[in-house]
Amino acid sequence: MTVNQPNNTMKLIAKSSAFAPATVANLGCGFDVLGLAVHTPGDVVEATLYDEIGPVTITDVTGDGGVLPREAHLNTASVAVMALCKSVDFRQAISLVIYKQMPLGSGMGSSAASAVAAIAAVNALLPVPLPKESLVTFVMEAEQIACGAAHADNVAPSLLGGIVLIRSYHPLDFIKLPVPADLAVCIVHPALEVRTETSRAILRKQIALGVAIEQWGNLAGFVSGLYTNDYDLLRRSLVDVVAEPVRSPLIPNFTGIKQSAMDAGALGCSISGSGPAVFAITKGLEYAHKAAAAMIQAFADINVVAQSFVGLVNNEGARVLKIERF
Ligand code: HSE
């Protein structure tokens, strides 16, 4: 559906497209501060640059069932691009086509993936493209409109790849962490939708000191395990006592699903981002496939259809697919 055609007398001067991967935010112990990029799924955005001053528009969105906003100020892809263009005072008209290739409201960083793909595509067309690290802050503005919170734990890994720690939001400070070579991940997405806004609204605003101690001990343990390739430490540390206990009732039979992954050899299993997708990390791809199959079966046992994605960690993050200049 074409909803927002730029003025058709405008001459197009360049086109680009970019892919941005899905992400697993939180990784259990790191609510809002840890995230990991996967190879698939992800979104693709195509950007067209015109020879005149003009707005950022969305000309088409495919694969979203007509659900996503087409208005530039409401769509995460255009919001991120507008924030970038404003910051570098770039005023030429840009149109975007968004190819959604991942489920919405899944907990796999869908809104971030569109915004990251869009900003990566447009950045490649700028006279002087910014380094990827500088783009994180603009995509966070898009997350703010998507779910009311400018969290970076989907955005940063989708852009930069690998596993990213958000050490601080004010000021923004993030660190790309080392990833053990055999660390594999599976994501299982049940055919349910949970809005991030809803899943954030139910969280407790305050936590007890004892709970905080447990969580930051595990977070530090997890980060340490990444630096030392210590899979057993990763296993002991992937524990979430903050979000998982509150959010897991949104996922049918979460305890059974998680147990099935652990029985299949997973090092840890928790909710992917705000859910309802569930993820597990494993040592090696073979266990990731086994954990995925076990979770799919556990969902099937309660008549919930689910889809799985299995792979190693994507260390590259967003990538420009093509640039054409006319
Ligand atoms: N850290 C965010 C949350 C990620 O858990 O709400 C949302 O995908």
Side-chain angles (χ1 to χ4, degrees):
M1 179 180 59
T2 299
V3 286
N4 229 337
Q5 195 69 47
N7 174 348
N8 57 16
T9 62
M10 285 199 292
K11 187 168 161 264
L12 65 89
I13 51 177
K15 260 181 190 285
S16 64
S17 66
F19 166 84
T23 41
V24 175
N26 303 336
L27 290 173
C29 51
F31 177 73
D32 270 4
V33 302
L34 269 188
L36 162 161
V38 296
H39 286 279
T40 181
D43 285 342
V44 170
V45 173
E46 189 176 71
T48 303
L49 178 64
Y50 297 87
D51 67 347
E52 283 178 33
I53 288 180
V56 175
T57 52
I58 312 254
T59 45
D60 205 358
V61 184
T62 67
D64 71 325
V67 169
L68 291 178
R70 269 63 176 166
E71 298 89 343
H73 66 288
L74 297 177
N75 188 296
T76 62
S78 34
V79 167
V81 168
M82 288 191 286
L84 166 65
C85 291
K86 186 174 172 204
S87 137
V88 296
D89 199 22
F90 188 79
R91 299 178 193 194
Q92 275 167 254
I94 294 170
S95 66
L96 303 173
V97 179
I98 302 167
Y99 301 95
K100 285 302 298 176
Q101 295 172 4
M102 54 185 289
L104 311 176
S106 58
M108 295 160 64
S110 175
S111 58
S114 306
V116 168
I119 207 165
V122 170
N123 187 50
L125 297 176
L126 294 181
V128 184
L130 300 184
K132 270 182 175 181
E133 290 73 14
S134 309
L135 302 177
V136 172
T137 181
F138 306 123
V139 192
M140 286 171 66
E141 291 190 28
E143 287 292 60
Q144 176 74 46
I145 64 136
C147 72
H151 61 93
D153 50 343
N154 294 113
V155 168
S158 184
L159 260 167
L160 308 176
I163 301 181
V164 180
L165 167 72
I166 319 299
R167 188 205 61 80
S168 159
Y169 277 91
H170 306 290
L172 185 62
D173 183 8
F174 49 85
I175 300 120
K176 197 169 166 184
L177 302 172
V179 180
D182 285 340
L183 191 68
V185 57
C186 65
I187 309 176
V188 173
H189 174 239
L192 310 163
E193 192 177 326
V194 173
R195 285 180 55 81
T196 299
E197 216 166 351
T198 313
S199 189
R200 290 184 80 85
I202 61 173
L203 294 173
R204 296 186 191 105
K205 301 295 170 280
Q206 291 179 333
I207 55 173
L209 183 59
V211 171
I213 291 169
E214 212 177 327
Q215 193 85 355
W216 62 52
N218 281 319
L219 175 58
F222 192 86
V223 171
S224 177
L226 293 175
Y227 274 94
T228 55
N229 290 306
D230 186 338
Y231 287 92
D232 194 61
L233 180 55
L234 294 177
R235 181 188 61 73
R236 300 199 303 280
S237 306
L238 204 158
V239 179
D240 176 11
V241 291
V242 171
E244 186 183 299
V246 183
R247 288 174 163 177
S248 53
L250 299 174
I251 302 166
N253 189 28
F254 174 77
T255 310
I257 308 293
K258 179 170 174 166
Q259 193 57 50
S260 73
M262 299 310 286
D263 291 347
L267 297 167
C269 172
S270 188
I271 302 168
S272 177
S274 53
V278 176
F279 78 98
I281 60 163
T282 61
K283 183 173 184 186
L285 277 172
E286 195 185 330
Y287 282 116
H289 283 288
K290 285 183 179 162
M295 289 195 276
I296 292 268
Q297 185 58 51
F299 273 121
D301 290 345
I302 53 164
N303 298 318
V304 175
V305 175
Q307 185 185 17
S308 67
F309 304 92
V310 177
L312 296 173
V313 176
N314 172 351
N315 259 312
E316 183 188 7
R319 63 177 192 277
V320 175
L321 302 174
K322 93 179 167 202
I323 304 178
E324 293 173 277
R325 298 191 191 273
F326 306 106

